[in-house]
Amino acid sequence: MKDLQRKSIIITGATRGIGRAVALECARRGANVAFNYVKSESQASEVKAELESLGVKALAFKCDVGDLKSAREMVNAVKKEFGAIDALVNNAGITRDKVLVMMSEEDWSEVIRVNLTGAFNFVRAAAFIMMKAKRGSILNITSVSGLVGLPGQANYSAAKAGLVGLTKSLAKEVGRLGVRANALALGFIETDMTSTLPAENKAQALAMIPLGRFGTVEDVAPMAAFLLSDAASYITGAVINLDGGLAM
Ligand code: NAP
């Protein structure tokens, strides 16, 4: 299926995990993909080569999502190189889990900066380009933690709940200009982010999932690609749970 043929898509944080899987899925569907990262230099080169081997253009940027100036520079460079910005996936995220009474100011502010301000920065940088073109799709990767709250994640839950509000406000602001904004609320997906959780926590999480298994990045990527495609052209402001039933 080439439903993203020649679309120009930015995905934040795509060196591994969910971002990488979404990037590859978009490329398989024909999109040119630009992505960023902060640390994983060699993985970024590998992902870029994987994308190019699928016959599309790929661009990799070392760019911290929490820095608006860098976000603007990256978005402008992608527009220059690809000629348009058709879609943006705000995926980059981190966790610094701790119970709130033990949480440092730094644990709080860094998680908000990357997960929430990072999305603001990229929307701020890309939305005008989409509005001018009268087309665009923005997808924010949030979490069930932002819908129901999880112990040890006050910073992360607050950031992810913030993304839900950002998505809905944005959808109402830009819908008439042909730009859509949606969010995917993910449950427990097997990636580096979740691999370090203690076995006891994993067992507790598994017991709460009606489908009886953790999600994989392959569960996420096709839904993300669908929401970016024209097949989803009447969907905006939606927060779609992709969690095996965890947060119903
Ligand atoms: P991951 O495997 O830890 O990958 C995170 C990605 O984000 C990496 O590519 C990382 O780049 C990038 N990144 C981190 N900080 C960044 C920054 N300041 N600027 C730019 N890029 C940055 O995480 P994941 O599990 O794939 O999660 C992806 C998204 O899904 C996150 O928003 C996460 O909150 C959300 N989510 C995940 C789960 C889950 O169960 N895994 C559940 C719900 C929601 P480097 O390699 O350079 O560090």
Side-chain angles (χ1 to χ4, degrees), residues 35-56:
F35 68 94
N36 68 337
Y37 61 97
V38 265
K39 287 187 228 142
S40 308
E41 202 93 52
S42 65
Q43 278 164 294
S45 306
E46 281 168 31
V47 173
K48 183 172 183 291
E50 281 180 281
L51 292 166
E52 285 167 344
S53 74
L54 292 164
V56 300

Side-chain angles (χ1 to χ4, degrees), residues 13 15-16 18 38-40 64-65 91 156 160 187 189 191 194:
T15 44
R16 45 207 168 83
I18 293 157
V38 265
K39 287 187 228 142
S40 308
D64 186 336
V65 291
N91 166 79
Y156 185 76
K160 294 303 193 185
I189 310 296
T191 66
T194 45

Side-chain angles (χ1 to χ4, degrees), residues 10 71 75 85 87-88 121-131 138:
I10 293 177
V75 167
I85 309 284
L88 163 68
N121 287 342
F122 269 80
V123 171
R124 190 69 183 78
F128 268 124
I129 296 170
M130 294 179 177
M131 287 155 65
I138 295 167

